[in-house]
């Protein structure tokens, strides 16, 4: 039976460290601050944004939630970002995605100063991750790395398989595992022999967005299985991309959903906000 990697517990430990760090920074006159912009009324986005504000408050980071109406023009949003780029008390800026269809996401991401891009989505920060000279780490993949390392699992020399190649999760995840000296394979919807490749994985990270997709026959006994997926079932229950009940019988370690990767993403955002504040006050 797999050992459960408890994301809630690990996240709470890191947030306690962050709270201490915030105290120390404030004693040096550095006040980290995060601005979160939300455009429109997407209910899931509203929950995420509220949780980000709450998390900031808990660790002593100043936060501003800027709620803009659905009909906001791209020009107005870019002007708001420009204002936040200039404000000294704002160390990090995050624009909650998805944006309404009439706004170009790429233009918005590009407008955020790379020094304040705490989601690490901008071309500059993605490039820095690629060459291993990062300023901010992408939040979800960085959270996965913390879950693995804080569970005492060695990454170096291991075969890691990442399913999913999105810019937000799959690709940066593969890069972080590579920087940690794993041998990395990236799989996607056109991959042939997916199950066979997955069975080579000592570490399997799944970020697809399909409920219970990874079944026990795809997992090597003893493997570390990290489930990034967040899917709502018809009954409203949250479930991952991994068939937890069967896979946990053979895996060595496994993350549950909820309570695995989910809590780590905001925690890594808080960490990036501290990094931004420190750099801006260096
Ligand atoms: P995405 O942009 O939709 O990407 C999904 C990826 O999965 C794509 O690369 C796609 O391949 C691949 N894929 C889809 N079906 C597949 C199949 N049958 N076999 C192999 N690969 C397949 O999704 P995302 O933004 O990366 O998110 C993935 C999941 O993680 C979602 O459930 C999301 O809600 C969750 N998520 C969780 C957190 C968190 O904090 N826990 C954060 C972000 C995302 P192609 O490229 O070939 O289409």
């Amino acid at each position: 039976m797999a050992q459960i990697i408890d994301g809630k517990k690990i996240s709470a430990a890191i947030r306690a460290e962050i709270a201490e760090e915030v105290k120390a920074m404030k004693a040096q006159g550095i006040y980290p601050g995060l601005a979160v912009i939300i455009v429109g009324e997407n209910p899931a986005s509203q929950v995420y944004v509220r949780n980000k504000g709450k998390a900031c408050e808990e660790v002593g980071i100043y936060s501003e939630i800027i709620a803009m109406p659905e009909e906001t023009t791209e020009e107005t949003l870019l002007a708001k970002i420009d204002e936040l780029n200039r404000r000294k008390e704002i160390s990090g800026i995050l624009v909650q995605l998805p944006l309404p269809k009439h706004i170009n996401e790429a233009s918005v991401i590009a407008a955020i100063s790379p020094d304040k891009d705490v989601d690490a989505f901008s071309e500059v920060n993605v490039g820095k991750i690629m060459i291993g000279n990062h300023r901010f780490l992408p939040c979800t993949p960085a959270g996965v790395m913390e879950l693995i390392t804080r569970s005492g699992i060695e990454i170096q020399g291991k075969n890691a398989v990442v399913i999913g190649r999105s810019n937000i999760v799959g690709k940066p995840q593969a890069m972080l595992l590579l920087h940690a000296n794993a041998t990395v394979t990236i799989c996607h919807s056109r991959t042939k022999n997916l199950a066979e490749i997955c069975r080579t994985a000592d570490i399997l990270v799944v970020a697809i967005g399909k409920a219970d997709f990874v079944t026990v026959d795809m997992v090597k006994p003893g493997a570390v299985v990290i489930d990034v997926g967040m899917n709502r079932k018809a009954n409203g229950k949250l479930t991952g991309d991994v068939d937890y009940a069967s896979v946990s019988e053979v895996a060595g370690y496994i993350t549950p959903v909820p309570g695995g990767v989910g809590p780590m993403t905001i925690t890594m955002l808080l960490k990036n906000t501290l990094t931004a504040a420190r750099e801006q006050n260096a």
Side-chain angles (χ1 to χ4, degrees):
M1 193 71 187
Q3 208 165 307
I4 295 167
I5 299 179
D6 186 342
K8 270 196 212 151
K9 200 164 147 196
I10 294 174
S11 171
I14 299 174
R15 288 192 196 191
E17 292 165 17
I18 290 172
E20 283 306 309
E21 224 174 311
V22 171
K23 259 193 226 154
M25 286 170 79
K26 285 182 177 171
Q28 295 164 16
I30 301 172
Y31 290 79
L34 176 70
V36 181
I37 303 179
I38 176 169
V39 184
E41 316 261 301
N42 180 319
S45 293
Q46 285 176 327
V47 173
Y48 294 144
V49 166
R50 249 199 323 272
N51 287 346
K52 285 166 187 167
K54 240 196 292 173
C56 282
E57 198 179 314
E58 277 164 23
V59 298
I61 294 177
Y62 169 73
S63 72
E64 268 178 37
I65 292 175
I66 298 145
M68 302 175 90
E70 180 83 25
E71 61 275 14
T72 301
T73 63
E74 188 172 312
E75 197 186 2
T76 306
L77 177 55
L78 294 179
K80 176 50 81 180
I81 293 171
D82 185 50
E83 177 199 318
L84 295 168
N85 278 340
R86 292 161 198 271
R87 279 179 55 198
K88 235 187 151 284
E89 67 277 27
I90 299 298
S91 343
I93 303 168
L94 180 152
V95 177
Q96 187 66 44
L97 302 178
L99 287 166
K101 295 248 177 313
H102 64 276
I103 299 178
N104 183 311
E105 275 185 11
S107 311
V108 169
I109 290 168
I112 300 170
S113 160
D115 298 337
K116 297 192 176 186
D117 168 35
V118 282
D119 251 341
F121 287 168
S122 70
E123 289 176 5
V124 171
N125 287 321
V126 170
K128 280 177 171 290
I129 293 157
M130 185 83 181
I131 60 175
N133 174 27
H134 69 268
R135 177 194 278 135
F136 307 120
L137 286 174
C139 298
T140 302
V144 168
M145 298 305 280
E146 289 278 359
L147 288 177
I148 297 172
T149 52
R150 287 188 185 237
S151 301
I153 297 161
E154 174 100 38
I155 298 175
Q156 173 152 305
K158 297 279 176 67
N159 286 338
V161 173
V162 178
I163 323 182
R165 57 172 166 180
S166 70
N167 289 333
I168 293 175
V169 189
K171 277 188 216 157
Q173 186 67 69
M175 210 41 66
L176 298 192
L177 287 161
L178 183 65
H179 291 320
N181 295 323
T183 302
V184 184
T185 307
I186 307 173
C187 299
H188 47 78
S189 67
R190 317 285 167 86
T191 298
K192 294 201 170 110
N193 308 325
L194 181 66
E196 198 180 302
I197 296 169
C198 290
R199 279 196 300 272
T200 66
D202 302 308
I203 299 170
L204 180 63
V205 182
V206 192
I208 315 176
K210 292 204 160 114
D212 305 333
F213 180 86
V214 170
T215 45
V216 68
D217 57 302
M218 298 168 78
V219 177
K220 172 163 134 181
V224 177
V225 179
I226 307 287
D227 189 352
V228 182
M230 290 200 306
N231 311 290
R232 281 271 166 218
K233 282 196 158 168
N235 62 8
K237 268 186 90 177
L238 196 63
T239 188
D241 289 346
V242 175
D243 177 22
Y244 185 86
S246 68
V247 171
S248 59
E249 296 285 336
V250 305
Y253 292 85
I254 192 164
T255 59
V257 178
V261 176
M264 297 298 288
T265 298
I266 294 182
T267 302
M268 294 299 112
L269 172 70
L270 301 175
K271 251 190 143 167
N272 282 346
T273 304
L274 297 201
T275 303
R278 237 185 271 108
E279 284 203 356
Q280 286 157 32
N281 285 278

